[in-house]
Amino acid sequence: MPVSPPLGLVAALDIGTAKTACIIARADAQGHIRVVGSAARASKGMRNGAIIDIDAAGHCAGAVVEAAETMARESVDRVIVNLSSGNLCSKHHQVTLPLSSRAIGTNELNQALGQSRAEMPAQGREVLHFLPLGYGVDGNRGIHDPRGLFGQTLTLDTIAVTCQDSASRTLRTAIGRAHLEAQQVVASAFAAGLAVLHPDERELGITVIDMGAGSTNIGVFYDHELIFCDSLPVGGAHVTHDIAQGLSTPMTYAERLKTLHGSCLAAASDERDMLDIQPLSDDGEGDATQAPRALLVRIIQARVEEILELAQARIARSGAARFSGGAVVLTGGASQLHGLRELAGQMLDKRIRIGRPAGIAGLADMADNPAFAGVVGLALFARRQRAGFPATGGSGGERNGMFDRVAGWLKGLR
């Protein structure tokens, strides 16, 4: 059964490697939502998108939610929360049911959905989003609503986004330490896509790459639905680590170098521009050294190229590339690296834009910062539920165009 959010109030919690953010928003009768409270702070107990210290992560989440409650002058006990770890992936499935002599009705559709959900592999994995893609009757595809038809067999194709159930349990336990309940766990790529993609993009086909500090999440949207999802345990923090290691400088100084002087693309002046490098020293009294900016750029570019190559390979291997459209939207905190849009355009041979969150009133400074795409998308996910979308993410109303093209892809994957 779908879980409905508290009437009028939405609480979204984004627990990332670098930061934990919360927004509390109020929805009106028309489904419009406005932020009434927000807060963010540096994360604790996180690494590569995963929780490594339940108490620290839970305490941080509780403090951020409490700060947002104070601003909103509201109290919440349930939140919609994201997940970026746990080997997130999408998997397709097909079921075929024999039919009786009577016309297909809602009971038959529910039976097909129930059987498909029950047959999803349960070996240590949890289904976060269950997305019905389309129906067929006696082999005839392209049927968006088979009710009222007669036939011998009913076929249903679905896609499920799953994660290791240990990751989901750990996340829910950490939130429980803050006396909160995870009302819904949402794949980070799904949330980011809702926040930064235009409706036309989601309809015609688009790829979103959400580059966080500890992980990179990939989503392909087509005909308004998420049809592919994957995650990589590498992100902006790994770029910082590479800089610290390559230049023998502390992590905090490496982050500063990345932010102030870093780029993904070389410039003609990089060999001449010298940067002061703070040395690794226990007493902090070591002599500063210098290195050309070109060395910093080479370090950054190597890691970013690896991330983009991995994302491209995952999409190509899945077969979803044919639905991914001619553009890629980069979002997340690490997407703000100078030169990333240009480098991604060269490597992926697609139009590239940086996605900033939209769709909610009252975002203030968050609206221009890709780092907040996840938390905004979580609130928009709640709006989907209010509009009648299942909590698992599927729309319940399938479309001919999508089924015609996607069903063939699914058949080829079996």
Side-chain angles (χ1 to χ4, degrees):
M1 290 291 292
V3 180
S4 297
L7 181 62
L9 207 61
V10 171
L13 179 64
D14 178 359
I15 301 179
T17 301
K19 72 166 189 341
T20 297
C22 174
I23 62 174
I24 298 175
R26 183 168 295 281
D28 60 23
Q30 289 72 43
H32 303 126
I33 50 182
R34 172 178 289 275
V35 174
V36 294
S38 62
R41 65 169 53 185
S43 292
K44 302 293 183 183
M46 300 291 296
R47 180 186 298 159
N48 296 346
I51 295 173
I52 60 172
D53 186 328
I54 286 181
D55 289 332
H59 177 76
C60 180
V64 170
V65 172
E66 183 178 356
E69 288 177 323
T70 300
M71 180 178 176
R73 297 182 180 179
E74 298 281 1
S75 180
V76 299
D77 57 10
R78 294 189 294 167
V79 294
I80 293 180
V81 65
N82 69 313
L83 182 67
S84 301
S85 63
N87 190 25
L88 279 165
C89 65
S90 55
K91 185 177 181 63
H92 91 281
H93 188 60
Q94 184 182 87
V95 296
T96 299
L97 299 179
L99 296 172
S100 64
S101 58
R102 66 186 182 186
I104 299 171
T106 301
N107 288 340
E108 284 73 24
L109 302 191
N110 289 338
Q111 183 182 354
L113 286 167
Q115 180 174 325
S116 181
R117 182 65 181 265
E119 292 179 1
M120 286 291 174
Q123 300 156 340
R125 301 194 66 82
E126 177 181 333
V127 176
L128 298 182
H129 308 294
F130 180 68
L131 309 170
L133 295 180
Y135 299 92
V137 177
D138 292 345
N140 296 317
R141 295 179 174 177
I143 301 174
H144 73 284
D145 186 352
R147 285 175 292 187
L149 300 179
F150 294 85
Q152 296 181 332
T153 59
L154 173 67
T155 301
L156 168 66
D157 282 290
T158 58
I159 283 182
V161 177
T162 68
C163 69
Q164 294 171 340
D165 57 10
S166 57
S168 176
R169 289 202 307 270
T170 299
L171 177 63
R172 294 176 189 275
T173 301
I175 292 172
R177 299 288 172 89
H179 307 289
L180 296 167
E181 177 187 350
Q183 170 186 319
Q184 174 76 35
V185 178
V186 180
S188 289
F190 199 168
L194 294 178
V196 304
L197 300 180
H198 304 309
D200 285 349
E201 291 176 326
R202 292 201 302 267
E203 178 183 4
L204 299 175
I206 193 76
T207 300
V208 61
I209 301 179
D210 179 17
M211 302 178 68
S215 63
T216 296
N217 288 267
I218 311 152
V220 174
F221 288 76
Y222 179 73
D223 209 18
H224 298 289
E225 288 292 359
L226 179 74
I227 66 165
F228 170 76
C229 180
D230 209 331
S231 63
L232 304 170
V234 60
H238 296 80
V239 177
T240 304
H241 181 271
D242 290 348
I243 296 170
Q245 190 174 56
L247 299 180
S248 297
T249 193
M251 287 287 289
T252 53
Y253 196 76
E255 182 67 27
R256 177 180 173 83
L257 285 172
K258 181 180 76 173
T259 303
L260 296 181
H261 305 289
S263 177
C264 298
L265 288 177
S269 61
D270 287 347
E271 292 291 349
R272 300 190 303 271
D273 293 342
M274 303 301 291
L275 302 176
D276 292 329
I277 308 299
Q278 179 180 319
L280 287 170
S281 175
D282 292 336
D283 55 17
E285 297 180 357
D287 294 333
T289 61
Q290 285 194 323
R293 183 172 181 265
L295 178 55
L296 173 65
V297 172
R298 285 196 294 270
I299 293 171
I300 294 173
Q301 184 175 349
R303 178 63 83 169
V304 171
E305 285 180 346
E306 178 196 27
I307 295 173
L308 293 175
E309 287 171 355
L310 287 171
Q312 187 177 39
R314 293 288 180 91
I315 296 171
R317 189 172 64 190
S318 74
R322 73 188 73 173
F323 306 103
S324 61
V328 172
V329 177
L330 303 173
T331 193
S335 71
Q336 300 173 89
L337 274 168
H338 181 72
L340 176 59
R341 185 174 64 84
E342 293 79 5
L343 177 62
Q346 294 174 11
M347 292 186 61
L348 305 179
D349 193 27
K350 292 191 176 186
R351 299 186 308 278
I352 308 293
R353 72 174 178 87
I354 303 301
R356 293 173 171 81
I360 299 179
L363 286 176
D365 293 340
M366 286 185 181
D368 199 43
N369 194 331
F372 291 96
V375 70
V376 172
L378 291 171
L380 292 172
F381 185 91
R383 184 170 69 181
R384 285 170 60 94
Q385 293 176 243
R386 293 181 183 279
F389 288 76
T392 48
S395 67
E398 316 327 333
R399 292 165 289 276
N400 293 353
M402 182 179 192
F403 187 85
D404 287 341
R405 289 179 283 275
V406 177
W409 163 51
L410 297 177
K411 184 177 181 181
L413 293 180
R414 286 194 292 275

